[in-house]
Amino acid sequence: MTTSLRRLRNYIDGEFRDAADGRTTEVVNPATGDAYATAPLSAAVDVDAAMAAAEAAFPAWRDLIPAERQKVLLKVADRFEERAEELIAAESENCGKPIALVRSEEIPPMVDQIRFFAGAARMLEGRSSGEYMDGFTSIIRREPIGVCAQVAPWNYPMMMAVWKFAPALAAGNTVVIKPSDTTPASTVLIGEIIGSVLDELGHPRGVFNVVCGDRETGRLMVEHPVPAMASITGSVRAGMQVAESASKDLKRVHLELGGKAPVVVFEDTDIAKAVEDISVAGYFNAGQDCTAATRVLVQDSVHDEFVAALAKAAAETKTGAVDDEDVLFGPLNNANQLKQVKGFIDRLPAHAKIEAGGHQVGDKGYFFAPTVVSGLKQDDEIIQHEVFGPVITVQSFSDEAQALTWANDIEYALASSVWTKDHARAMRMSKSLDFGCVWINTHIPLVAEMPHGGFKKSGYGKDLSAYGFDDYTRIKHVMTSLDG
């Protein structure tokens, strides 16, 4: 006897729809390893339908005064709060995340971020207009771009969807968003929530659309002639593919890709406090975070003390069931990700030492133990490449110059942190670290008002903040003669 699976559907032009050809994929709960739903495997005809809906809705949505778009987003934020338990349940099943942590660490910032961009909708600023040529006045218009094709990742399906749709809608664009094929449930629910608000307030249903599918579906979205912009949060490989595809018709591209954050710990820092904070920032969400504190560089004089304390913290960090309130993180997202993390551990060089963890936990689901690896060299695979799992590496450095060289000696450039009581050193390091964010004596806090985005192979464009809002607008110069 088999248990029937819940049927997830695309949300296009205000309606739930199956893929036109009826194809589906199974959606697995990573905490159990069992399928719990099916989702559409959307093809070109489904993408066409979503793009047509978004394109048709764009003129009316673009032409709304910003205050009206603000009303929509504020009501969406209210609905997120009202339906928080539904969103939490969907995300927990999507990702195997601890319910208590989704409730405390994801819902509040998501609501706050939507409200921030609701306010940003009314702050479409340009540089001063005026007369820069005799007899003419110049005016700057900041306008929406058009239809945005957006691809969200599986590590934070709900929150990354918010980071994409909130600035896009606030600026007057319409959206077609594709969740990861492993985590579609919460995004489909978001589609229904936004669609109901649009309907209530009398706006076109096609302003926001959700298309489920795989990489091929994402490719079809990016290469489709309708969108004026493609936005993706994902791997470096996926970002390169999107940039290449978008180049065929010169779409604007917004990329938030991988990371390998250096965490530079100097000998004068409070080691106990640093270990406490770094272990949380490294293991939260099973290390499946582009900004995770998973590459630690420690000054040699306190290296052994730090490693011993971090190994102890790892041993005391708990992973497990979604309803266990003592759990810090849940499983890895899928079987392939578990295989990848195991592969990094299996391929460790002989000089590396596993100080804690290093193994799968249990025989059901995709859980992996909090892990600490020491004795590593700068050119080791696990130092140079993103593990995206609950694995913290530790290297020993001698002085500030060496720490800075090793910190920057990486292809990624998303986030970093410096741990020291020396203010001048913190300022020198923050100036020279080649990363989009530098935290000092902390790691991983984000606020809606400040930008998030990296350099080098971590991509380009900003999420959050007024800078992220600007990315979803275009600038037009209007010049008028004063002669009448």
Side-chain angles (χ1 to χ4, degrees):
M1 180 177 179
T2 59
T3 304
S4 60
L5 302 179
R6 188 162 80 250
R7 184 176 67 163
L8 302 173
R9 306 172 78 187
N10 293 329
Y11 190 80
I12 298 174
D13 204 17
E15 298 176 348
F16 285 110
R17 304 184 189 181
D18 295 320
D21 62 8
R23 290 194 303 157
T24 63
T25 57
E26 287 192 344
V27 185
V28 173
N29 184 332
T32 65
D34 297 327
Y36 70 91
T38 62
L41 185 55
S42 298
V45 63
D46 308 298
V47 173
D48 286 344
M51 294 300 174
E55 185 177 35
F58 175 63
W61 184 249
R62 173 199 62 201
D63 293 343
L64 282 177
I65 62 170
E68 293 301 314
R69 292 198 296 269
Q70 182 188 47
K71 287 179 184 178
V72 172
L73 286 169
L74 289 175
K75 188 170 281 290
V76 168
D78 291 344
R79 289 289 167 80
F80 269 51
E81 287 185 323
E82 293 164 9
R83 301 181 64 175
E85 292 308 311
E86 292 176 69
L87 289 164
I88 292 165
E91 192 74 340
S92 181
E93 197 166 32
N94 249 346
C95 307
K97 294 185 180 185
I99 291 170
L101 288 176
V102 179
R103 181 178 291 115
S104 65
E105 304 300 323
E106 296 199 31
I107 296 294
M110 285 163 47
V111 170
D112 179 66
Q113 289 153 8
I114 296 170
R115 288 177 176 150
F116 171 83
F117 284 113
R122 300 178 72 167
M123 294 293 289
L124 283 165
E125 296 181 342
R127 292 183 180 177
S128 176
S129 298
E131 290 69 49
Y132 299 93
M133 180 181 289
D134 289 340
F136 297 88
T137 293
S138 288
I139 301 168
I140 297 297
R141 291 180 56 88
R142 190 175 286 275
E143 302 176 337
I145 296 168
V147 176
C148 295
Q150 302 183 321
V151 179
W154 48 251
N155 58 334
Y156 292 100
M158 282 198 306
M159 189 174 292
M160 295 302 98
V162 167
W163 286 19
K164 294 189 180 305
F165 79 69
L169 295 183
N173 304 287
T174 55
V175 166
V176 178
I177 190 167
K178 188 192 86 68
S180 167
D181 55 343
T182 66
T183 56
S186 56
T187 312
V188 170
L189 178 55
I190 287 172
E192 187 270 316
I193 291 172
I194 295 176
S196 67
V197 171
L198 290 166
D199 207 33
E200 277 180 34
L201 297 181
H203 300 301
R205 294 178 174 183
V207 167
F208 187 81
N209 307 271
V210 179
V211 175
C212 300
D214 58 8
R215 288 179 182 172
E216 175 63 12
T217 311
R219 184 189 66 78
L220 291 168
M221 286 175 53
V222 172
E223 294 185 358
H224 199 280
V226 164
M229 179 176 182
S231 170
I232 179 175
T233 299
S235 68
V236 173
R237 181 186 65 177
M240 288 178 171
Q241 291 170 344
V242 166
E244 182 179 2
S245 295
S247 70
K248 295 174 183 178
D249 59 358
L250 296 179
K251 282 185 180 67
R252 189 181 295 198
V253 178
H254 185 281
L255 304 174
E256 200 275 275
L257 310 177
K260 192 71 177 176
V263 181
V264 184
V265 180
F266 287 94
E267 62 186 357
D268 64 338
T269 197
D270 182 334
I271 297 299
K273 182 67 166 61
V275 165
E276 179 183 355
D277 292 352
I278 290 167
S279 62
V280 172
Y283 296 135
F284 188 81
N285 202 41
Q288 297 170 125
D289 190 315
C290 297
T291 62
T294 55
R295 182 168 67 103
V296 181
L297 298 96
V298 184
Q299 197 155 20
D300 48 16
S301 58
V302 293
H303 172 270
D304 292 351
E305 177 189 356
F306 182 93
V307 168
L310 185 61
K312 183 175 184 292
E316 294 171 352
T317 299
K318 188 175 179 182
T319 181
V322 299
D323 57 356
D324 186 340
E325 296 194 0
D326 293 328
V327 163
L328 177 66
F329 65 89
L332 296 167
N333 181 260
N334 54 74
N336 286 338
Q337 189 59 25
L338 176 61
K339 182 179 178 181
Q340 174 171 308
V341 174
K342 283 181 174 180
F344 274 100
I345 299 301
D346 292 343
R347 294 188 301 274
L348 284 173
H351 54 261
K353 181 182 178 183
I354 298 175
E355 304 280 355
H359 56 83
Q360 186 174 352
V361 176
D363 56 3
K364 194 171 183 63
Y366 311 129
F367 296 92
F368 201 83
T371 298
V372 178
V373 183
S374 67
L376 294 159
K377 299 179 181 179
Q378 182 65 14
D379 59 355
D380 286 337
E381 177 196 31
I382 201 169
I383 296 297
Q384 291 294 322
H385 297 282
E386 190 173 34
V387 178
F388 224 57
V391 179
I392 298 178
T393 63
V394 184
Q395 297 168 264
S396 176
F397 69 85
S398 58
D399 56 26
E400 186 177 320
Q402 186 179 60
L404 183 61
T405 298
W406 285 356
N408 286 336
D409 179 27
I410 203 82
E411 291 185 333
Y412 306 93
L414 183 58
S416 58
S417 63
V418 179
W419 300 73
T420 181
K421 295 177 182 177
D422 185 331
H423 177 74
R425 174 190 283 152
M427 292 297 96
R428 289 193 302 271
M429 292 292 290
S430 62
K431 172 181 178 292
S432 299
L433 282 165
D434 190 18
F435 296 84
C437 174
V438 181
W439 287 290
I440 298 174
N441 295 324
T442 188
H443 194 107
I444 229 164
L446 296 169
V447 292
E449 293 85 352
M450 290 294 113
H452 175 79
F455 315 135
K456 299 188 326 193
K457 287 191 176 178
S458 289
Y460 43 81
K462 298 296 182 184
D463 290 312
L464 303 177
S465 79
Y467 300 99
F469 179 65
D470 287 349
D471 282 352
Y472 286 93
T473 67
R474 66 184 190 182
I475 297 169
K476 179 186 288 183
H477 171 222
V478 178
M479 180 179 270
T480 181
S481 170
L482 298 179
D483 291 340

